[in-house]
Amino acid sequence: REESFRTELVLCVVLLPLGFWLGDSGVERALLAGSLLLVLAMELMNSAMETVVDRVSLEWDELGRIAKDIGSAAVLVTMLNVLLVWGLVLIPRYL
């Protein structure tokens, strides 16, 4: 149901094989793949939390908005983690 999850899933399907190919060791492959899977897991948690907030009340609520914003921020942090991990693993190799 969630467009953002579908987009992240497509990116994961593209980047996951690339991560296995670019990683030189099992640890590198695990870091590259794990960072991508963490985004999907966090997006699922965010979607679940948003569903619960909407189930409790469809009326606008300040605490509900804050909860949804925090969930979205958690997804953003995991996306930044992908950039950090992929950058730290791959950039030194090409510099």
PDB file of all heavy atoms in Angstrom, residues 46 49-50 62-76:
ATOM      1  N   ASN A  46       7.579   2.142  10.369  1.00  0.00           N
ATOM      2  CA  ASN A  46       6.949   3.449  10.230  1.00  0.00           C
ATOM      3  C   ASN A  46       5.525   3.301   9.702  1.00  0.00           C
ATOM      4  O   ASN A  46       4.604   3.953  10.202  1.00  0.00           O
ATOM      5  CB  ASN A  46       7.780   4.338   9.306  1.00  0.00           C
ATOM      6  CG  ASN A  46       7.211   5.725   9.167  1.00  0.00           C
ATOM      7  OD1 ASN A  46       6.808   6.346  10.142  1.00  0.00           O
ATOM      8  ND2 ASN A  46       7.173   6.221   7.951  1.00  0.00           N
ATOM      9  N   MET A  49       3.300   2.011  12.464  1.00  0.00           N
ATOM     10  CA  MET A  49       3.000   3.042  13.445  1.00  0.00           C
ATOM     11  C   MET A  49       1.973   4.026  12.895  1.00  0.00           C
ATOM     12  O   MET A  49       1.039   4.421  13.595  1.00  0.00           O
ATOM     13  CB  MET A  49       4.272   3.784  13.854  1.00  0.00           C
ATOM     14  CG  MET A  49       4.019   4.814  14.928  1.00  0.00           C
ATOM     15  SD  MET A  49       5.407   5.860  15.265  1.00  0.00           S
ATOM     16  CE  MET A  49       5.757   6.509  13.655  1.00  0.00           C
ATOM     17  N   GLU A  50       2.114   4.420  11.634  1.00  0.00           N
ATOM     18  CA  GLU A  50       1.152   5.340  11.028  1.00  0.00           C
ATOM     19  C   GLU A  50      -0.239   4.713  10.959  1.00  0.00           C
ATOM     20  O   GLU A  50      -1.242   5.395  11.180  1.00  0.00           O
ATOM     21  CB  GLU A  50       1.625   5.750   9.634  1.00  0.00           C
ATOM     22  CG  GLU A  50       2.800   6.695   9.665  1.00  0.00           C
ATOM     23  CD  GLU A  50       3.260   7.117   8.278  1.00  0.00           C
ATOM     24  OE1 GLU A  50       2.750   6.564   7.269  1.00  0.00           O
ATOM     25  OE2 GLU A  50       4.125   7.992   8.202  1.00  0.00           O
ATOM     26  N   GLU A  62      -2.093  16.550  17.366  1.00  0.00           N
ATOM     27  CA  GLU A  62      -0.693  16.993  17.440  1.00  0.00           C
ATOM     28  C   GLU A  62       0.244  15.849  17.810  1.00  0.00           C
ATOM     29  O   GLU A  62       1.312  15.688  17.218  1.00  0.00           O
ATOM     30  CB  GLU A  62      -0.553  18.136  18.451  1.00  0.00           C
ATOM     31  CG  GLU A  62       0.858  18.673  18.576  1.00  0.00           C
ATOM     32  CD  GLU A  62       1.372  19.363  17.324  1.00  0.00           C
ATOM     33  OE1 GLU A  62       0.575  19.732  16.453  1.00  0.00           O
ATOM     34  OE2 GLU A  62       2.619  19.510  17.209  1.00  0.00           O
ATOM     35  N   LEU A  63      -0.130  15.028  18.767  1.00  0.00           N
ATOM     36  CA  LEU A  63       0.733  13.910  19.158  1.00  0.00           C
ATOM     37  C   LEU A  63       0.838  12.873  18.044  1.00  0.00           C
ATOM     38  O   LEU A  63       1.907  12.282  17.831  1.00  0.00           O
ATOM     39  CB  LEU A  63       0.215  13.254  20.441  1.00  0.00           C
ATOM     40  CG  LEU A  63       0.338  14.089  21.711  1.00  0.00           C
ATOM     41  CD1 LEU A  63      -0.286  13.359  22.885  1.00  0.00           C
ATOM     42  CD2 LEU A  63       1.784  14.448  21.990  1.00  0.00           C
ATOM     43  N   GLY A  64      -0.249  12.645  17.326  1.00  0.00           N
ATOM     44  CA  GLY A  64      -0.208  11.736  16.181  1.00  0.00           C
ATOM     45  C   GLY A  64       0.728  12.254  15.101  1.00  0.00           C
ATOM     46  O   GLY A  64       1.488  11.489  14.496  1.00  0.00           O
ATOM     47  N   ARG A  65       0.677  13.564  14.848  1.00  0.00           N
ATOM     48  CA  ARG A  65       1.571  14.167  13.858  1.00  0.00           C
ATOM     49  C   ARG A  65       3.025  14.023  14.287  1.00  0.00           C
ATOM     50  O   ARG A  65       3.892  13.668  13.490  1.00  0.00           O
ATOM     51  CB  ARG A  65       1.240  15.651  13.650  1.00  0.00           C
ATOM     52  CG  ARG A  65       2.109  16.301  12.571  1.00  0.00           C
ATOM     53  CD  ARG A  65       2.028  17.811  12.625  1.00  0.00           C
ATOM     54  NE  ARG A  65       2.526  18.364  13.863  1.00  0.00           N
ATOM     55  CZ  ARG A  65       3.823  18.532  14.152  1.00  0.00           C
ATOM     56  NH1 ARG A  65       4.757  18.144  13.308  1.00  0.00           N
ATOM     57  NH2 ARG A  65       4.200  19.078  15.296  1.00  0.00           N
ATOM     58  N   ILE A  66       3.289  14.248  15.554  1.00  0.00           N
ATOM     59  CA  ILE A  66       4.658  14.124  16.069  1.00  0.00           C
ATOM     60  C   ILE A  66       5.138  12.684  15.934  1.00  0.00           C
ATOM     61  O   ILE A  66       6.268  12.432  15.497  1.00  0.00           O
ATOM     62  CB  ILE A  66       4.730  14.612  17.534  1.00  0.00           C
ATOM     63  CG1 ILE A  66       4.520  16.122  17.593  1.00  0.00           C
ATOM     64  CG2 ILE A  66       6.054  14.213  18.181  1.00  0.00           C
ATOM     65  CD1 ILE A  66       4.331  16.672  18.992  1.00  0.00           C
ATOM     66  N   ALA A  67       4.282  11.723  16.277  1.00  0.00           N
ATOM     67  CA  ALA A  67       4.661  10.307  16.166  1.00  0.00           C
ATOM     68  C   ALA A  67       4.992   9.957  14.709  1.00  0.00           C
ATOM     69  O   ALA A  67       5.982   9.271  14.436  1.00  0.00           O
ATOM     70  CB  ALA A  67       3.542   9.421  16.694  1.00  0.00           C
ATOM     71  N   LYS A  68       4.166  10.423  13.782  1.00  0.00           N
ATOM     72  CA  LYS A  68       4.418  10.148  12.371  1.00  0.00           C
ATOM     73  C   LYS A  68       5.711  10.817  11.896  1.00  0.00           C
ATOM     74  O   LYS A  68       6.472  10.229  11.125  1.00  0.00           O
ATOM     75  CB  LYS A  68       3.240  10.606  11.518  1.00  0.00           C
ATOM     76  CG  LYS A  68       2.017   9.734  11.677  1.00  0.00           C
ATOM     77  CD  LYS A  68       0.886  10.232  10.793  1.00  0.00           C
ATOM     78  CE  LYS A  68      -0.313   9.312  10.843  1.00  0.00           C
ATOM     79  NZ  LYS A  68      -1.349   9.727   9.881  1.00  0.00           N
ATOM     80  N   ASP A  69       5.965  12.040  12.343  1.00  0.00           N
ATOM     81  CA  ASP A  69       7.200  12.735  11.971  1.00  0.00           C
ATOM     82  C   ASP A  69       8.431  12.010  12.509  1.00  0.00           C
ATOM     83  O   ASP A  69       9.451  11.905  11.827  1.00  0.00           O
ATOM     84  CB  ASP A  69       7.187  14.179  12.485  1.00  0.00           C
ATOM     85  CG  ASP A  69       6.239  15.076  11.707  1.00  0.00           C
ATOM     86  OD1 ASP A  69       5.751  14.638  10.631  1.00  0.00           O
ATOM     87  OD2 ASP A  69       5.966  16.201  12.172  1.00  0.00           O
ATOM     88  N   ILE A  70       8.342  11.501  13.722  1.00  0.00           N
ATOM     89  CA  ILE A  70       9.465  10.770  14.310  1.00  0.00           C
ATOM     90  C   ILE A  70       9.712   9.485  13.535  1.00  0.00           C
ATOM     91  O   ILE A  70      10.863   9.116  13.267  1.00  0.00           O
ATOM     92  CB  ILE A  70       9.217  10.495  15.804  1.00  0.00           C
ATOM     93  CG1 ILE A  70       9.262  11.808  16.593  1.00  0.00           C
ATOM     94  CG2 ILE A  70      10.234   9.496  16.356  1.00  0.00           C
ATOM     95  CD1 ILE A  70       8.793  11.690  18.030  1.00  0.00           C
ATOM     96  N   GLY A  71       8.657   8.788  13.153  1.00  0.00           N
ATOM     97  CA  GLY A  71       8.810   7.585  12.333  1.00  0.00           C
ATOM     98  C   GLY A  71       9.464   7.886  11.000  1.00  0.00           C
ATOM     99  O   GLY A  71      10.351   7.161  10.542  1.00  0.00           O
ATOM    100  N   SER A  72       9.053   8.972  10.363  1.00  0.00           N
ATOM    101  CA  SER A  72       9.662   9.370   9.095  1.00  0.00           C
ATOM    102  C   SER A  72      11.127   9.752   9.288  1.00  0.00           C
ATOM    103  O   SER A  72      11.972   9.449   8.440  1.00  0.00           O
ATOM    104  CB  SER A  72       8.893  10.545   8.488  1.00  0.00           C
ATOM    105  OG  SER A  72       7.583  10.161   8.159  1.00  0.00           O
ATOM    106  N   ALA A  73      11.429  10.400  10.388  1.00  0.00           N
ATOM    107  CA  ALA A  73      12.820  10.757  10.680  1.00  0.00           C
ATOM    108  C   ALA A  73      13.672   9.510  10.881  1.00  0.00           C
ATOM    109  O   ALA A  73      14.837   9.465  10.462  1.00  0.00           O
ATOM    110  CB  ALA A  73      12.887  11.657  11.916  1.00  0.00           C
ATOM    111  N   ALA A  74      13.109   8.481  11.500  1.00  0.00           N
ATOM    112  CA  ALA A  74      13.844   7.226  11.691  1.00  0.00           C
ATOM    113  C   ALA A  74      14.174   6.588  10.341  1.00  0.00           C
ATOM    114  O   ALA A  74      15.272   6.065  10.147  1.00  0.00           O
ATOM    115  CB  ALA A  74      13.036   6.266  12.552  1.00  0.00           C
ATOM    116  N   VAL A  75      13.235   6.650   9.404  1.00  0.00           N
ATOM    117  CA  VAL A  75      13.501   6.138   8.052  1.00  0.00           C
ATOM    118  C   VAL A  75      14.615   6.952   7.405  1.00  0.00           C
ATOM    119  O   VAL A  75      15.529   6.388   6.776  1.00  0.00           O
ATOM    120  CB  VAL A  75      12.223   6.160   7.184  1.00  0.00           C
ATOM    121  CG1 VAL A  75      12.537   5.786   5.749  1.00  0.00           C
ATOM    122  CG2 VAL A  75      11.169   5.224   7.755  1.00  0.00           C
ATOM    123  N   LEU A  76      14.572   8.271   7.558  1.00  0.00           N
ATOM    124  CA  LEU A  76      15.617   9.128   6.996  1.00  0.00           C
ATOM    125  C   LEU A  76      16.992   8.777   7.573  1.00  0.00           C
ATOM    126  O   LEU A  76      17.983   8.714   6.842  1.00  0.00           O
ATOM    127  CB  LEU A  76      15.297  10.599   7.254  1.00  0.00           C
ATOM    128  CG  LEU A  76      16.361  11.600   6.803  1.00  0.00           C
ATOM    129  CD1 LEU A  76      16.551  11.552   5.294  1.00  0.00           C
ATOM    130  CD2 LEU A  76      15.995  12.999   7.268  1.00  0.00           C
TER     131      LEU A  76
END
